[in-house]
Amino acid sequence: MTTDSGSFLTALRLADSFLPVGGYTASYGLEQYINEDRIEDGDDLRDLLAAYLRRVVGPCETVAVANAHAARTEGDLERLLAVDERLHAVTMPREFRESSTKAGAKLCELLVAGDDVRTPDSGAGVADAIEQNSTPGHYPVVFGVVAADRGLSRLEACLAHAYSFVTGLLGAAQRLGRFGHTEIQSVLESVQPVVTEACERYVDADVTTMSSFAPLTEIMGMRHERAGRRLFMS
Amino acid sequence: MGYRDVAKIGIGGPVGSGKTALVRRLVPTLVDEGYEVGVIANDIMTQEDADVFRDSFADLLPEDLVEGVETGACPHTGIREDPSMNLAAIDEFTERHPNLDVVIVESGGDNLAATFNPELADYFLFVISVAEGEDIPRKRGPGVTQADLLVVNKTDLAPHVDADLDVIERDAAEVRGDDPFVFTNCKDGSGVDEVIDHVDREVLFA
Ligand SMILES: Nc1nc2c(ncn2[C@@H]2O[C@H](COP(=O)(O)OP(=O)(O)O)[C@@H](O)[C@H]2O)c(=O)[nH]1
Ligand SMILES: [Mg+2]
C-alpha cells in the first residue's frame, strides 16, 4: 500500500459521494427489492450487500478495476478496451449497464479527458474511445484508469471502488426505506471485512475470469425497468 | 455537439407550484418561434411524467427529445451538486439532434433552497404558487432570491387562500432587488407572455 499523501487523498476523493458522477441515481436493483418488500431490516441489507460483494463487486467489478489499472499502468490501450468489453458482456440488466456507462463517461470527462493529460500515451486514447462511443466506458474501468494515473496501488483502487459501491447502496437504502443512521453505520461496519475479502481475493484475477452470479439481483434489475415508482435510474 | 452547445433553461420550485403547467405553456410558443426544443423531467414518476409530456407535445417535439431522468430521491442534488445525469441526457439529445436550440429541465419538486447549477442552466426560473402562502417570498429562500426569474403562479387562487397579491408583490420586490418577477396564471395563460419575453431576451437572443 502506498502512504503517499496525494494518493491517499485521491482515494478519499474517488470514494466520496461528493464526486459528481451521478452515483446517487443508481440503486443497482435495490429500489426493486424494496418495491417488492424483500428488504425489511438491517439484517436483510447486510445479507444483500455481502452477497453483492461476493458475487458481483468482487468477481466482476473488482476484476475490471484491477485489470484496467494494470492495463493503464502498462499503457496498453487494447487490453484496457478488452476489459471494458468483457465487463459490458457480463453485466446483464440493461439499467446496470446504463448507470455504469453514464457514470464512467462523467468520470472520464472530469478526470481523464482534461487537456492537461492529452498526450498520445495518456488518457486521450480511452477518453476518445468513450467519447466516440467505440467502447462502452464502464465506471469500474475508468475508475481503474484514474486511480492508476493518480498513483493509487491496484488494491487501493479496488478498495476505494468497492467501498464507494457499499456506501452508495446504503445511501440509496436510507432514501428508499426507513433505516436509522446508526443502523446503517452498523451494517457498514459489519460488511467492511467482506469488502476487504472480496478485493484481496480478486485483485490479481485474470480478466478472462470476470463473471458474476447473482440471478435474483439481475431479475430485480430487469423488473425495475417497468416499475411504477422509480426514484433511481437502476 | 454536447450540452455546452445548447441553451439550457432550468425550472425549479416546490411540488405542485405549476412547473409542469409552465413547461406546457412555454414549449408550444418556443416551437412556434422556430426553435428546436428538448424537455427533461426529473420528478418522482419520472418516466410517467416524460410520457405525459411526450403525449402533450406529440405534434411539437420528436419523442426522443423528451426524457425522464431519475435523481435518486435527491431532486436538489440532480440540479445542483451533481447534475451529471441531466447533462448526460442533454448530450444524448444533441447527439441525435445536432440543431437543437434549447433544453428545458424541470426539476423535481423541492424546497425553497433548491437552486440550479449554472453549468446545467443558463437561465433559472423558480416557480412558486400563491396557494403555498403569501409569506413565501419573505422567507428569502435561495431559490426565490437567486433565480434569474421568479414566477408567482396561480394568481387565480389568491382570493380562495387568503393570499394578498399586493403583499406578495411588495415582498418579492424587496427580496429580489432589481431582479425580475412575474405573476402568472398557467390555467388561463395570463402572464405567460411576459415569462416568454424574459426567456427570449435573456436566453435565446443573448
Ligand atoms: N388554479 C390554478 N391551477 C394551476 C395553475 N398552474 C397549475 N395548476 C394546477 O396545479 C396542479 C399542479 O401543477 P403542476 O404543473 O403539475 O405542478 P408541478 O409539481 O410544479 O409541476 C395541477 O393540477 C395544475 O393543473 C394555475 O395557475 N392556477
Ligand atoms: Mg411537475
Side-chain angles (χ1 to χ4, degrees):
Chain A
M1 300 283 251
T2 59
T3 44
D4 176 298
S5 303
S7 311
F8 177 70
L9 290 178
T10 299
L12 296 182
R13 183 180 180 194
L14 291 176
D16 193 337
S17 61
F18 192 63
L19 190 70
V21 294
Y24 65 98
T25 66
S27 88
Y28 290 101
L30 183 68
E31 180 166 35
Q32 194 60 19
Y33 276 94
I34 288 179
N35 284 347
E36 298 187 13
D37 298 324
R38 289 169 186 267
I39 300 285
E40 313 239 291
D41 56 23
D43 288 334
D44 295 342
L45 206 50
R46 190 175 284 118
D47 292 346
L48 180 69
L49 270 170
Y52 250 118
L53 287 163
R54 295 197 172 105
R55 297 184 190 170
V56 184
V57 178
C60 201
E61 298 185 357
T62 296
V63 177
V65 174
N67 279 276
H69 184 290
R72 177 63 163 186
T73 305
E74 288 164 14
D76 188 342
L77 181 61
E78 209 170 308
R79 178 177 171 194
L80 186 64
L81 299 182
V83 177
D84 202 22
E85 189 180 4
R86 171 94 191 187
L87 184 57
H88 201 61
V90 298
T91 307
M92 291 248 274
R94 174 168 62 78
E95 291 185 348
F96 290 11
R97 291 195 300 273
E98 285 174 358
S99 274
S100 173
T101 54
K102 283 187 175 147
K106 286 298 162 194
L107 182 61
C108 184
E109 249 177 72
L110 204 61
L111 295 180
V112 184
D115 288 334
D116 52 328
V117 291
R118 273 190 180 272
T119 53
D121 60 348
S122 77
V126 64
D128 287 346
I130 291 173
E131 212 171 288
Q132 291 156 16
N133 295 324
S134 63
T135 194
H138 279 280
Y139 189 68
V141 174
V142 181
F143 194 99
V145 168
V146 172
D149 285 352
R150 290 166 193 248
L152 269 68
S153 72
R154 214 160 69 230
L155 180 60
E156 286 168 330
C158 296
L159 288 168
H161 174 266
Y163 176 80
S164 69
F165 175 86
V166 169
T167 55
L169 224 66
L170 286 174
Q174 216 170 1
R175 280 173 269 141
L176 285 164
R178 295 197 58 204
F179 296 98
H181 57 295
T182 56
E183 186 176 28
I184 290 285
Q185 286 296 320
S186 117
V187 174
L188 177 58
E189 179 107 15
S190 62
V191 296
Q192 202 161 305
V194 190
V195 170
T196 313
E197 171 203 308
C199 290
E200 288 176 351
R201 175 160 174 204
Y202 293 103
V203 65
D204 296 319
D206 191 83
V207 68
T208 56
T209 67
M210 190 196 299
S211 63
S212 68
F213 184 74
L216 183 60
T217 298
E218 288 169 347
I219 289 167
M220 291 300 115
M222 293 174 193
R223 280 198 197 150
H224 186 259
E225 291 169 26
R226 289 177 298 283
R229 188 193 73 167
R230 293 169 50 93
L231 297 170
F232 287 75
M233 201 168 267
S234 65
Chain B
M1 268 301 272
Y3 70 83
R4 291 191 178 85
D5 305 309
V6 285
K8 297 171 292 295
I9 299 171
I11 301 192
V15 179
S17 62
K19 298 180 293 300
T20 301
L22 184 63
V23 174
R24 287 189 180 200
R25 294 265 175 196
L26 290 179
V27 168
T29 312
L30 293 174
V31 170
D32 204 46
E33 288 176 355
Y35 296 111
E36 194 169 354
V37 184
V39 178
I40 292 176
N42 277 182
D43 215 346
I44 284 195
M45 306 297 289
T46 329
Q47 300 305 332
E48 199 171 295
D49 272 16
D51 287 340
V52 170
F53 275 140
R54 271 184 205 111
D55 283 349
S56 54
F57 300 143
D59 300 330
L60 300 170
L61 306 182
E63 277 191 10
D64 64 357
L65 278 179
V66 179
E67 198 58 79
V69 173
E70 293 85 0
T71 53
C74 297
H76 47 273
T77 308
I79 60 162
R80 190 179 52 204
E81 293 93 315
D82 182 359
S84 53
M85 292 300 148
N86 278 318
L87 293 174
I90 299 174
D91 279 338
E92 283 176 16
F93 283 179
T94 58
E95 244 167 62
R96 295 192 291 254
H97 298 271
N99 295 320
L100 190 66
D101 298 297
V102 55
V103 176
I104 298 178
V105 180
E106 181 191 337
S107 163
D110 210 320
N111 59 47
L112 298 175
T115 51
F116 266 80
N117 182 317
E119 293 175 50
L120 175 62
D122 304 297
Y123 194 73
F124 160 35
L125 295 88
F126 197 74
V127 182
I128 59 173
S129 122
V130 304
E132 291 155 350
E134 66 177 23
D135 58 346
I136 299 255
R138 201 182 309 152
K139 294 180 183 169
R140 294 174 193 267
V144 170
T145 60
Q146 290 179 21
D148 294 302
L149 182 65
L150 174 67
V151 177
V152 183
N153 187 37
K154 304 198 190 181
T155 49
D156 56 309
L157 295 184
H160 306 290
V161 294
D162 297 330
D164 186 339
L165 293 181
D166 292 335
V167 169
I168 296 180
E169 182 165 11
R170 187 200 64 207
D171 290 349
E174 193 190 324
V175 305
R176 297 274 300 160
D178 292 333
D179 296 328
F181 59 94
V182 176
F183 281 104
T184 57
N185 169 353
C186 283
K187 222 172 150 187
D188 72 4
S190 44
V192 173
D193 283 350
E194 216 184 313
V195 174
I196 289 176
D197 283 347
H198 280 283
V199 169
D200 274 343
R201 225 179 15 248
E202 305 295 328
V203 191
L204 298 167
F205 296 152

